[in-house]
Amino acid sequence: MEDDKEEVKSFKELGLVEQLVEACDSLGWKNPSKIQAEAIPHALEGKDLIGLAQTGSGKTGAFALPILQALLAAAAAVPPVQHAFFACVLSPTRELAIQIAEQFEALGSSISLKTAVLVGGVDHVQQSIALGKRPHIVVATPGRLVDHLSNTKGFSLRTIKYLVLDEADRLLNEDFEKSLDEILNAIPRERRTYLFSATMTKKVQKLQRACLRNPVKIEAASKYSTVDTLKQQFRFVPAKHKDCYLTYILNEKSGSTSMVFTRTCEATRLLALMLRNLSFRAIPISGQMTQAKRLGALNKFKAGECNILICTDVASRGLDIPSVDMVINYDIPTNSKDYIHRVGRTARAGRSGVAISLVNQYELEWYIQIEKLIGKKLPEFEAQEEEVLLFLERVTEAKRLSLMKIKEAGGHKRRRGGEEEEDEVDKFHGKNRNNKSSNNKKSKRR
């Protein structure tokens, strides 16, 4: 059986129809990834799936292709108008939901596939109109889906044939428990169910509640692992010098595209402003930003307008940003599984990448848990402290100016009820000198 899997060379050999093979080819997918090669044949046989694979391994294709093949078969049997609301995909984050829908649309572009994305932070009426067009695929975050099931006239999921839980370990957490229960009660019991995730814990009762029937479990990776092409390092640093080390690393790797992970939304804004004052092209993304601004920041990063994305864990799961060279853990995650997702933003699809974790004296215990989880001791990032501290004066001044700007922006927000603080961040397009001069003018006015 293993030998057969090794021999799979093409999507056609997995049993996909010619239209979908061509769609894969047009997206540049020459050969199936491991999770696709193992999951698709079982899915085409009508089995329920639990798929465990490293992030960046092609999970979306592994569930989207069998669903599209089933939709094509159903459309050939009876008029396609009968196949609205054919599948529902649940995602824990807005960005991942949008990305999944984009991949469905790309794969289904030749068959007039219609999708609807139901996420928070976007106009409810627009989403209701999209549902009125009777899409084949609904991709949603649980809370907003429940909202539409309760309040959008004529919308029901009684006809769906497929339910997908992507990042299933997150969806099976208590945060989504109530919404998930309501959704499971609103859909038919006769359906196919797919659960996919980079990490999976043994939540047996919750998996049973999701109504899987004799599922096939596919492990395309060890339970908690990182890819071999990822170079992982750490550096113990005093908390007071962490900003200096961050600046030093970004300066040393100035040509790289980097993601910097922080623990709080406030830290994303502060670090982005500080780095811009130091002439870096940085932009923040966090859960406190509006959906439009989050997507705007992501698009600027993808387009290369900014090469440093400062983010919270809202960006650690499922975002396919192919060109990331380096991930920096500015704050060590308190949940060690989040480390797997963060560093999975780089070294995707066979490419190499670097992950550096800055560990201060208060984060040591969390870092030890990460090493236990991944089963290896990481090498230390080499840096001469005297070279790093050459940045201290500039970093201190840049941080002072940033704190002052955030304080002023906070005052504007209270007076005008707007989002000037985020606008300050969005105004930057590499024009650091303008930024600094505006800072200086503000300080003179004060």
Side-chain angles (χ1 to χ4, degrees):
M1 186 72 180
E2 283 300 315
D3 292 339
D4 291 343
K5 284 172 187 169
E6 290 302 318
E7 287 169 16
V8 170
K9 294 288 189 291
S10 69
F11 284 101
K12 189 168 188 175
E13 288 174 88
L14 297 181
L16 291 175
V17 295
E18 194 60 38
Q19 271 180 295
L20 294 178
V21 172
E22 287 172 7
C24 291
D25 193 52
S26 69
L27 290 180
W29 297 4
K30 300 303 178 192
N31 299 299
S33 68
K34 190 175 181 188
I35 188 68
Q36 289 166 355
E38 295 194 24
I40 289 171
H42 289 298
L44 294 178
E45 288 171 11
K47 304 276 181 62
D48 283 3
L49 302 177
I50 298 174
L52 184 59
Q54 294 162 335
T55 185
S57 61
K59 292 196 299 289
T60 307
F63 61 74
L65 288 164
I67 289 171
L68 291 175
Q69 182 136 321
L71 179 62
L72 281 168
V78 291
V81 72
Q82 299 297 316
H83 299 290
F85 307 116
F86 190 76
C88 177
V89 184
L90 295 178
S91 151
T93 68
R94 302 167 181 183
E95 287 77 15
L96 180 55
I98 291 163
Q99 190 169 289
I100 291 167
E102 286 173 350
Q103 197 145 100
F104 264 104
E105 285 166 4
L107 288 167
S109 58
S110 66
I111 58 173
S112 304
L113 185 77
K114 288 190 288 188
T115 66
V117 181
L118 310 180
V119 295
V122 178
D123 182 57
H124 202 286
V125 176
Q126 283 182 339
Q127 292 176 353
S128 297
I129 292 167
L131 290 173
K133 293 176 181 174
R134 300 179 63 74
H136 304 104
I137 313 292
V138 175
V139 188
T141 49
R144 181 52 68 99
L145 180 59
V146 167
D147 189 6
H148 279 285
L149 286 170
S150 305
N151 301 311
T152 300
K153 193 175 179 183
F155 172 52
S156 156
L157 289 178
R158 287 287 168 204
T159 62
I160 72 158
K161 305 292 188 291
Y162 288 83
L163 174 70
V164 181
L165 279 69
D166 197 14
E167 300 295 357
D169 54 332
R170 280 270 296 276
L171 289 170
L172 292 168
N173 281 347
E174 290 175 10
D175 300 355
F176 298 106
E177 192 165 15
K178 187 172 181 291
S179 297
L180 201 56
D181 275 338
E182 290 185 43
I183 292 163
L184 290 170
N185 286 331
I187 61 178
R189 294 182 69 82
E190 289 296 323
R191 64 169 194 273
R192 299 274 65 81
T193 306
Y194 302 155
L195 280 76
F196 280 87
S197 186
T199 54
M200 182 74 75
T201 52
K202 292 180 180 176
K203 298 175 179 170
V204 179
Q205 289 180 325
K206 292 182 179 181
L207 288 173
Q208 287 175 340
R209 194 189 62 203
C211 305
L212 276 83
R213 299 187 177 189
N214 301 318
V216 177
K217 189 174 182 187
I218 298 150
E219 288 198 48
S222 60
K223 191 172 181 189
Y224 300 111
S225 65
T226 50
V227 293
D228 296 334
T229 51
L230 175 64
K231 181 183 179 184
Q232 300 174 80
Q233 299 171 294
F234 77 96
R235 178 76 187 203
F236 287 127
V237 302
K240 64 181 179 180
H241 291 153
K242 194 179 263 196
D243 292 330
C244 266
Y245 274 90
L246 174 65
T247 304
Y248 173 83
I249 293 167
L250 291 171
N251 190 64
E252 286 291 297
K253 300 180 182 289
S254 56
S256 299
T257 302
S258 306
M259 292 178 76
V260 179
F261 282 96
T262 69
R263 197 169 296 121
T264 67
C265 299
E266 291 73 20
T268 62
R269 289 194 294 271
L270 177 59
L271 281 182
L273 287 167
M274 182 193 84
L275 289 171
R276 288 210 306 280
N277 284 331
L278 292 164
S279 300
F280 292 101
R281 292 179 297 126
I283 194 163
I285 183 170
S286 74
Q288 284 186 355
M289 294 164 68
T290 63
Q291 184 64 20
K293 288 189 181 295
R294 278 157 72 174
L295 285 175
L298 201 55
N299 288 336
K300 283 176 190 172
F301 183 65
K302 282 184 174 181
E305 289 179 46
C306 299
N307 69 325
I308 301 168
L309 188 69
I310 316 289
C311 44
T312 55
D313 282 307
V314 75
S316 70
R317 289 184 176 237
L319 297 187
D320 187 17
I321 306 167
S323 58
V324 175
D325 305 307
M326 178 169 63
V327 166
I328 300 175
N329 287 304
Y330 176 85
D331 290 322
I332 301 302
T334 54
N335 181 343
S336 47
K337 279 196 296 179
D338 286 335
Y339 174 85
I340 305 285
H341 292 286
R342 287 182 180 188
V343 301
R345 298 307 96 213
T346 186
R348 294 170 77 80
R351 288 179 290 267
S352 60
V354 177
I356 301 171
S357 297
L358 298 176
V359 187
N360 70 23
Q361 62 269 38
Y362 310 110
E363 299 171 314
L364 184 56
E365 189 58 42
W366 297 328
Y367 177 72
I368 290 168
Q369 290 304 316
I370 288 167
E371 287 197 329
K372 279 185 186 172
L373 183 75
I374 61 176
K376 59 175 114 174
K377 294 274 184 189
L378 299 183
E380 188 166 15
F381 174 78
E382 297 291 336
Q384 298 297 319
E385 187 163 301
E386 55 268 27
E387 286 184 30
V388 174
L389 294 184
L390 290 173
F391 288 94
L392 185 58
E393 191 177 333
R394 287 171 57 205
V395 167
T396 303
E397 176 62 7
K399 194 165 188 178
R400 185 188 69 79
L401 289 171
S402 304
L403 286 164
M404 189 170 71
K405 180 169 277 193
I406 284 175
K407 189 176 178 184
E408 286 183 7
H412 285 308
K413 280 181 84 172
R414 284 192 294 275
R415 287 195 295 275
R416 293 168 56 184
E419 290 179 342
E420 285 76 8
E421 192 172 319
E422 287 171 17
D423 290 340
E424 287 292 346
V425 165
D426 279 358
K427 281 175 191 171
F428 178 77
H429 292 278
K431 299 173 185 174
N432 303 73
R433 278 173 295 204
N434 293 348
N435 233 331
K436 287 180 181 176
S437 64
S438 70
N439 273 335
N440 293 335
K441 284 175 190 171
K442 285 180 183 175
S443 59
K444 282 174 187 172
R445 283 202 300 272
R446 287 166 67 84

